[in-house]
Amino acid sequence: MGSHPLPVPTTAAGREGLAALLERPGRAVVGLDFDGTLAEIVPDPDRARAHPGAVPALSRLAPRLRSAAVITGRPAEVAVRYGGFAGAKGLDGLVVLGLYGAERWDAASGAVQAPEPHPGVAAVQAELPAVLEEYGAAQGTWIEDKGRAVAVHTRRAEDPRATFELLRAPLHALAERHGLIVEPGRLVLELRPPGMDKGVALIEYVRRTGAEAVLYAGDDLGDLAAFGAVERLREEGVPGVLVCSGSTEVTELAKRADLVVDGPAGVVELLSSLADAVSGAGAS
């Protein structure tokens, strides 16, 4: 074992899921959110980078698993770049499911598979500045072009939480007019096409890989769907572990988690402890 003992989940279902993963890691999938889970949340999303221990820990753990996947609201290529995943030793089987699963990057090929952009995204982006101006929210808010989605960040506003709440209704109305939905996060409202979320992406991925155990770690409201997916998989007989990358901004996740760790540093510690624990386990 390494310097950090493996934490014990607080729920029976979580303990069962962890035991299944440890017993047969080669039949398990580990799914990870990016921002707030592998990378610290920062005021400027373009400056987000994976925790320096994330790639080394994943590189040790991933080869022992059926698969490791990063499931993020970011475009897959951006998460790969900010994560430093491309070409990393031990991560040749890594998959990044970007834009809530709409995009897929495979380390083996280095290629991104993606659908055509939804026409509503460009329409929303064109109208957004006027909407923000109308509601007095132009100052301090920041529009992020995600290619197949668009996000409005309020973290830089004078009152980030009040601005976030102010924009909820008008952005929902704007999204609805153009056939999009709104995904709320930690001081960010993302307008994107319907039909895909982290839960759908995770269930499809677990079934595609034939995994018999799953661990998912996330930190934000968008991860609730993935938590729900693990809960559904448990009902179908697939043991699972729900990990919350601790956050004072989002308590819903912590309440449903089997294990709460201390942000990205805690996630890295968990991944390292798992790598230590399965280093002698069979990969069958």
Side-chain angles (χ1 to χ4, degrees):
M1 290 293 289
S3 56
H4 300 290
L6 201 55
V8 179
T10 57
T11 64
R15 290 190 290 274
E16 182 187 346
L18 183 59
L21 189 157
L22 294 175
E23 187 181 336
R24 293 189 292 185
R27 299 186 184 183
V29 160
V30 169
L32 302 155
D33 170 44
F34 186 72
D35 292 279
T37 302
L38 289 177
E40 293 287 354
I41 296 288
V42 290
D44 182 351
D46 287 340
R47 293 186 173 274
R49 295 295 182 271
H51 184 284
V55 166
L58 265 176
S59 294
R60 290 175 55 228
L61 177 61
R64 307 280 180 179
L65 303 171
R66 174 66 55 92
S67 180
V70 175
I71 306 177
T72 175
R74 285 188 184 270
E77 185 274 331
V78 173
V80 170
R81 188 154 28 96
Y82 292 179
F85 302 134
K89 185 180 178 183
L91 295 188
D92 44 340
L94 183 73
V95 169
V96 175
L97 302 174
L99 296 178
Y100 304 90
E103 294 185 345
R104 175 181 169 133
W105 175 88
D106 287 88
S109 65
V112 174
Q113 297 173 320
E116 287 299 309
H118 188 291
V121 174
V124 156
Q125 194 150 18
E127 290 181 35
L128 259 177
V131 172
L132 297 183
E133 190 74 43
E134 180 185 347
Y135 285 85
Q139 188 67 35
T141 53
W142 185 72
I143 300 170
E144 180 187 6
D145 178 3
K146 300 178 87 167
R148 290 172 175 79
V150 58
V152 177
H153 297 263
T154 67
R155 193 170 292 273
R156 298 182 198 164
E158 188 176 345
D159 188 336
R161 175 55 60 185
T163 305
F164 177 88
E165 295 300 338
L166 172 73
L167 291 175
R168 269 183 185 265
L171 293 192
H172 271 280
L174 176 63
E176 199 170 296
R177 279 205 307 278
H178 295 288
L180 304 182
I181 62 168
V182 175
E183 181 82 50
R186 289 164 70 176
L187 301 178
V188 58
L189 293 157
E190 182 165 317
L191 293 75
R192 63 180 180 85
M196 184 57 82
D197 61 35
K198 290 184 181 182
V200 174
L202 182 60
I203 280 189
E204 286 184 358
Y205 192 69
V206 167
R207 288 181 176 152
R208 191 183 308 131
T209 58
E212 296 174 10
V214 58
L215 178 148
Y216 183 81
D219 76 303
D220 205 348
L221 293 171
D223 297 303
L224 285 170
F227 271 34
V230 173
E231 289 160 352
R232 287 197 297 278
L233 287 164
R234 283 170 170 172
E235 290 170 6
E236 294 172 13
V238 179
V241 190
L242 298 170
V243 179
C244 176
S245 175
S247 163
T248 53
E249 291 179 10
V250 180
T251 57
E252 292 96 323
L253 230 58
K255 289 174 185 172
R256 280 172 67 178
D258 305 308
L259 203 54
V260 179
V261 299
D262 188 16
V267 172
V268 167
E269 203 172 288
L270 175 63
L271 295 174
S272 295
S273 298
L274 285 170
D276 291 337
V278 303
S279 59
S284 61

